Each structure stands twice: as structure tokens, then as C-alpha cells.
Amino acid sequence: MNKRKQFALNKLFNFCVILGLFFAWGSIDFFRENDSAWGLGFGIVALLLIVLPAIFTPYCYAFDNEGVSLCYIFLPVERYLWKDINAIEVEDIKLGTASQVSIFDFFYASVFSIKGSNKGKCRFYMNGHIRKSFRTKHLLEKYWDGTITGYLFEDAKNWINKRKTRKQAQTKAHLTDEIVPMEREIRAETREWLKPFIAQAKQYNLDIKPKYLYITNDFEELTSRPKEGYTYTLVSEISHFNETDENRIVVVSVDLLYVRLGKTAYRGVKNKHIKEEFEFTFSDVLNEINKNGIEVYCKNN
């Protein structure tokens, strides 16, 4: 496999370093003129502008066929493999709108936000943000087999993309050779995980009816694979046997696969926390129903 890398510089890092050097030059000039107060002030600002970005922000991004690396001078590399990325979105970072935001995200605040798990240990400074530029946009679109979302005028762009997708679908269907085995494997796994919960439900005179649905980005629930991105989801109805009253049926769901349309095929990313979410969801719901009754549970939820 071709391991040749292509690089894009982090414009925030460059901006801070250049600005820091400007303040450093100003500090030296003030000291030469025996103005220690201004010289010290400019020197502190220069130090902060150079040292903090050098520690906490990547100085460049390295792209190759397997993934993208966010490279830091002193800290370990932040690495994302394309196969583990289920979405890339354009985000304007604002206070209180992101779970992992650094002080530097408030400058040049528009970023490509990677939705997926990084390779290796997830450290405090890793947030999956790639500073937006023509270079990073070009390389993301070149290497990642998916569509970047979140651009300005997204509705108009989506409309154009949907029309384009329909025309492509008329002439060429996307390959399913990757996604079909993934769906088959995850169905087999979840059926095994369901067995003890089905047995537990029977002890409470309850029935669990699972089904696997394709849920689109517009939250449309389908029983067949759509010609667009979707979330492959396990949806289960928990109720007394032969129950027909919808108000006495509990519906629980677990996301299994995040699927997008690549250039030629469906591409899927497995939910890394399926088993934990699966076990927590079903055990919690069944215990609550056993404790308070299904009628009370439905009323409170």
C-alpha cells in the first residue's frame, strides 16, 4: 500500500508563531530603549503566543491512504484511520457547543470536526479538529471516502447532492460487498447478546421483539437499504405477550453501524460501544419495568 504522506500546515499555529515573533521583536526594541515595563509585557505575550500553541495545537496534518495524523511538537500524535471515521462536519466552534474545546479554538474557529474514534489512547487535548483551509479540504476529500457536511447553505447543497445521487443511482448502484458482511456479523452478535435478556423478560411475563432497521439522516425508518447514508439500528419492542396497545409497549434502540455513501460503495463504521450500550439499555429497562410495572414505565418515559 502507498504510504506516501501529504501535509497541510495548521494556519492557527503559523499565525500564533508569527504574531509571537512580532511581539518578541517589539519586546527587544522596548528593552533597547530602556522601557522595561513595555518590554516585559510584550515579552510575556510573545512567550504565550509561541509556547502555548507549540504545546497544545498541531503544527501540521499528515494525510495518507490509511488515515490522518494531527502532529504536535511535544505531545503524542493524534491519529484517525479513515475506516473508523463515520462523519466529518464543518463546525464553527462556540463556547458551550462542543465537549472538547481548547482556548485556541476561538481563533480561526471554523474546523473540520472528525466524528470517530482515534487510534490509541484518547488524551485530553484530542478533539478531532482540523483547521479549515483550502489545503485541508482538498486532502480530506481526496483521501476520505465520504461527503463532508455542515457547510454554509447546507440545505441547498443537500438538495443538489440528492439530485446528483438519484442520477448516479439510475446508472450505477453503489457496491454492498463491504456493508453486507458487516450487517450480517452485527446481527449475529446482537442475537447472541439478546438471548439472556429474552430469558429475563420471560420471567417477568414480557416479550422482546427485535428488528433491524435502516434509519436515514431524516430519521426515516426503512426495512430495506436506502440509496443514501443511514444508521443500521436494532429496534426492540418490549411488552406483555400479544400486547396491541401502543401505550403499553416500550421501544428501545441501539445504533449498530454508521453507514455513508462513498464514491463507489457503502462504507460502514461500527459503533465502538455497542455491547456496553446494549447491555446497559436492556438491563436498565427490564429492571425498571420489573420494579414499577410497564404501565408506570411507559407513562414516565
Side-chain angles (χ1 to χ4, degrees):
M1 182 176 287
N2 182 15
K3 290 293 188 72
R4 187 175 69 88
K5 294 181 181 293
Q6 289 189 275
F7 297 89
L9 298 177
N10 181 358
K11 62 183 181 180
L12 171 62
F13 178 85
N14 295 337
F15 172 77
C16 289
V17 169
I18 292 171
L19 193 61
L21 292 174
F22 170 79
F23 275 92
W25 174 83
S27 175
I28 293 171
D29 197 50
F30 279 121
F31 277 119
R32 283 176 177 172
E33 296 181 4
N34 296 320
D35 193 340
S36 299
W38 279 100
L40 183 61
F42 269 56
I44 292 173
V45 173
L47 186 67
L48 292 174
L49 285 171
I50 295 174
V51 173
L52 291 182
I55 296 175
F56 295 110
T57 64
Y59 65 91
C60 78
Y61 312 104
F63 295 79
D64 58 54
N65 289 332
E66 293 183 353
V68 57
S69 299
L70 285 65
C71 304
Y72 298 80
I73 294 178
F74 301 108
L75 298 174
V77 169
E78 184 178 354
R79 175 76 168 167
Y80 296 88
L81 301 180
W82 302 126
K83 65 183 181 66
D84 294 330
I85 298 175
N86 59 280
I88 299 178
E89 299 176 357
V90 176
E91 289 186 4
D92 292 321
I93 303 300
K94 296 178 182 178
L95 186 63
T97 61
S99 58
Q100 290 178 293
V101 180
S102 71
I103 185 173
F104 303 103
D105 282 320
F106 297 102
F107 303 93
Y108 287 111
S110 189
V111 298
F112 292 112
S113 180
I114 295 175
K115 309 299 181 185
S117 57
N118 64 293
K119 184 179 180 182
K121 184 177 180 180
C122 185
R123 303 174 189 272
F124 71 93
Y125 58 89
M126 297 180 176
N127 54 24
H129 290 167
I130 295 178
R131 206 63 49 181
K132 188 167 176 259
S133 69
F134 289 114
R135 176 71 173 168
T136 53
K137 177 178 182 290
H138 167 71
L139 292 176
L140 284 171
E141 291 179 343
K142 175 181 178 179
Y143 285 101
W144 185 61
D145 193 5
T147 302
I148 300 172
T149 61
Y151 288 109
L152 192 63
F153 308 119
E154 184 69 32
D155 290 339
K157 190 172 184 295
N158 284 340
W159 181 78
I160 294 172
N161 286 338
K162 282 185 177 181
R163 289 199 59 180
K164 184 178 178 181
T165 301
R166 289 195 198 100
K167 289 181 180 179
Q168 290 177 343
Q170 292 173 359
T171 58
K172 181 182 67 175
H174 278 72
L175 299 176
T176 60
D177 54 337
E178 175 184 303
I179 200 62
V180 167
M182 292 181 71
E183 291 175 359
R184 187 185 304 118
E185 179 183 352
I186 200 62
R187 283 198 302 271
E189 287 183 358
T190 52
R191 283 167 181 158
E192 287 299 315
W193 297 342
L194 264 176
K195 287 180 181 179
F197 293 109
I198 291 175
Q200 181 182 354
K202 285 183 178 178
Q203 294 178 3
Y204 305 151
N205 195 31
L206 296 172
D207 185 26
I208 297 179
K209 296 178 180 177
K211 55 184 175 180
Y212 297 87
L213 297 177
Y214 304 87
I215 301 180
T216 68
N217 295 331
D218 298 326
F219 302 104
E220 184 180 4
E221 297 184 355
L222 304 172
T223 56
S224 59
R225 186 178 297 105
K227 292 183 172 62
E228 60 180 295
Y230 62 88
T231 301
Y232 194 55
T233 306
L234 171 65
V235 179
S236 300
E237 294 182 353
I238 303 175
S239 65
H240 291 296
F241 287 91
N242 301 318
E243 181 63 70
T244 58
D245 185 353
E246 292 184 357
N247 295 321
R248 293 164 57 89
I249 299 175
V250 178
V251 179
V252 297
S253 63
V254 180
D255 294 344
L256 307 178
L257 299 172
Y258 304 107
V259 182
R260 66 183 185 277
L261 282 183
K263 296 179 178 67
T264 60
Y266 288 90
R267 303 298 183 192
V269 177
K270 186 176 180 179
N271 178 1
K272 296 285 186 179
H273 306 286
I274 295 177
K275 192 165 186 181
E276 296 92 326
E277 292 180 10
F278 187 95
E279 293 178 347
F280 174 80
T281 299
F282 279 92
S283 61
D284 183 64
V285 170
L286 288 175
N287 290 336
E288 283 293 320
I289 292 175
N290 182 49
K291 180 180 178 181
N292 300 314
I294 198 166
E295 295 83 0
V296 174
Y297 186 92
C298 291
K299 183 178 180 181
N300 293 336
N301 294 273

